[in-house]
Amino acid sequence: MKTNQATKILIVEDEMIIAANMSLQLATLGYDVTGIMLKGEDALVHIKQNIPDIILLDIQLKGTLDGIETAQIIQQDYNIPIIYVTANSDDANFNKAKSTNPYGFISKPFKKQDLQRSIELALNRFYSENEPQPELEHDEENTAPFILSDCIFVRHQDKMVKVQIDDILYIEAERNYSRIHSKNKEYLLVVTLKDLEDKLPENHFIRIHRSFIVNLSQIDEIATSHIVISKKAIPISAESKKQLLQHIQKV
């Protein structure tokens, strides 16, 4: 965890009075506010030039992109914890926002203590999730999966186990590893999601998020901002959704 410099926070809030008050409170708490963006589009440009440690993001923005759509685009390229700020806490908005796996929600109106506690909890979770893991002792040639046209052989408890491609639901990135979620079991592979993506048969799998590859035949639902596989909501951006639909039509 950082100790030698202030945590950098980006505020994305279209009500300037609220944003200015939030910035003032954050400054008194010792945080470094990198900017106040009124629109999601402006936030995307700002992040390219000055990556923050955390983002406070209003769900209801007045620009082309709302807060949830902005979060989805950010998550395609950056690993930045996002805390939603909202005055509208109805179930529909909450469930839609939940699909982006945020690090917290702050309801308006809020107190300085709400900000401080939400940020501290988010940062603790973020650093815990991204803490370097001890190297696993392994022989890469023996642990790398063997990928065939209809199945994958993966290392599991000192054995190579066959997993039918039709049984794989989705594959999730976990730092430098990948976790296969199948109908009956989960398997942790010593391979990055990118390396695995390059080897998987394209007619069965597609990457819809920086952290997820899905099995096309297992998709139960395609919603506006997520897909559903076996009751698991997986976030998807508008561009990835477009590519997914095109891919399905080809298959």
Side-chain angles (χ1 to χ4, degrees):
M1 185 179 294
K2 297 182 179 183
T3 57
N4 60 343
Q5 60 184 26
T7 298
K8 297 190 296 182
I9 299 179
L10 171 64
I11 298 172
V12 187
E13 166 63 65
D14 61 5
E15 295 186 48
M16 195 61 204
I17 294 177
I18 294 176
N21 178 54
M22 189 185 301
S23 178
L24 179 61
Q25 293 189 48
L26 291 172
T28 61
L29 290 169
Y31 297 114
D32 176 15
V33 177
T34 65
I36 296 175
M37 301 293 118
L38 305 182
K39 297 181 179 180
E41 304 92 290
D42 297 335
L44 298 176
V45 174
H46 177 86
I47 291 171
K48 289 182 179 179
Q49 302 168 346
N50 190 352
I51 299 178
D53 297 310
I54 200 164
I55 300 173
L56 297 178
L57 180 59
D58 187 9
I59 289 180
Q60 303 294 337
L61 296 174
K62 296 176 182 176
T64 303
L65 300 171
D66 65 23
I68 297 171
E69 293 167 334
T70 302
Q72 290 169 340
I73 295 173
I74 292 171
Q75 290 174 335
Q76 296 297 311
D77 298 310
Y78 302 97
N79 185 22
I80 305 173
I82 292 173
I83 297 176
Y84 285 120
V85 181
T86 179
N88 188 349
S89 57
D90 62 69
D91 290 342
N93 271 291
F94 177 78
N95 290 328
K96 186 179 178 183
K98 189 172 64 173
S99 70
T100 63
N101 299 313
Y103 281 71
F105 287 85
I106 299 176
S107 296
K108 301 176 186 176
F110 51 81
K111 300 177 182 178
K112 182 192 294 187
Q113 190 178 60
D114 297 330
L115 279 176
Q116 184 176 26
R117 288 179 175 175
S118 295
I119 291 168
E120 287 182 1
L121 287 172
L123 290 174
N124 283 340
R125 173 185 154 191
F126 177 77
Y127 289 124
S128 175
E129 291 177 347
N130 291 274
E131 184 178 357
Q133 299 296 303
E135 290 290 333
L136 296 178
E137 294 184 7
H138 63 273
D139 180 341
E140 290 191 2
E141 289 187 1
N142 291 332
T143 57
F146 299 119
I147 300 176
L148 304 179
S149 60
D150 62 344
C151 65
I152 300 176
F153 282 88
V154 301
R155 172 69 61 178
H156 183 64
Q157 297 179 350
D158 298 324
K159 296 182 293 186
M160 295 302 289
V161 178
K162 182 166 83 171
V163 182
Q164 294 290 344
I165 282 178
D166 289 342
D167 290 338
I168 296 174
L169 302 174
Y170 59 92
I171 306 171
E172 183 176 7
E174 291 190 10
R175 304 182 184 89
N176 292 325
Y177 306 104
S178 299
R179 184 176 296 277
I180 290 179
H181 296 261
S182 72
K183 291 180 179 178
N184 301 314
K185 290 185 179 180
E186 296 181 6
Y187 304 92
L188 185 64
L189 308 184
V190 188
V191 61
T192 66
L193 197 66
K194 179 64 173 68
D195 289 341
L196 194 57
E197 177 188 14
D198 294 338
K199 299 175 183 177
L200 290 169
E202 293 182 1
N203 59 323
H204 287 285
F205 296 96
I206 185 171
R207 188 167 185 170
I208 64 164
H209 186 271
R210 62 183 175 83
S211 298
F212 291 97
I213 293 174
V214 301
N215 189 338
L216 291 165
S217 66
Q218 296 294 342
I219 297 175
D220 298 316
E221 177 184 330
I222 301 176
T224 303
S225 59
H226 67 277
I227 69 166
V228 176
I229 294 180
S230 189
K231 299 182 180 180
K232 165 73 174 181
I234 300 174
I236 186 171
S237 68
E239 181 60 31
S240 293
K241 181 181 175 182
K242 179 180 177 182
Q243 294 174 3
L244 171 63
L245 293 175
Q246 292 174 345
H247 199 88
I248 290 175
Q249 290 173 356
K250 291 178 182 178
V251 175

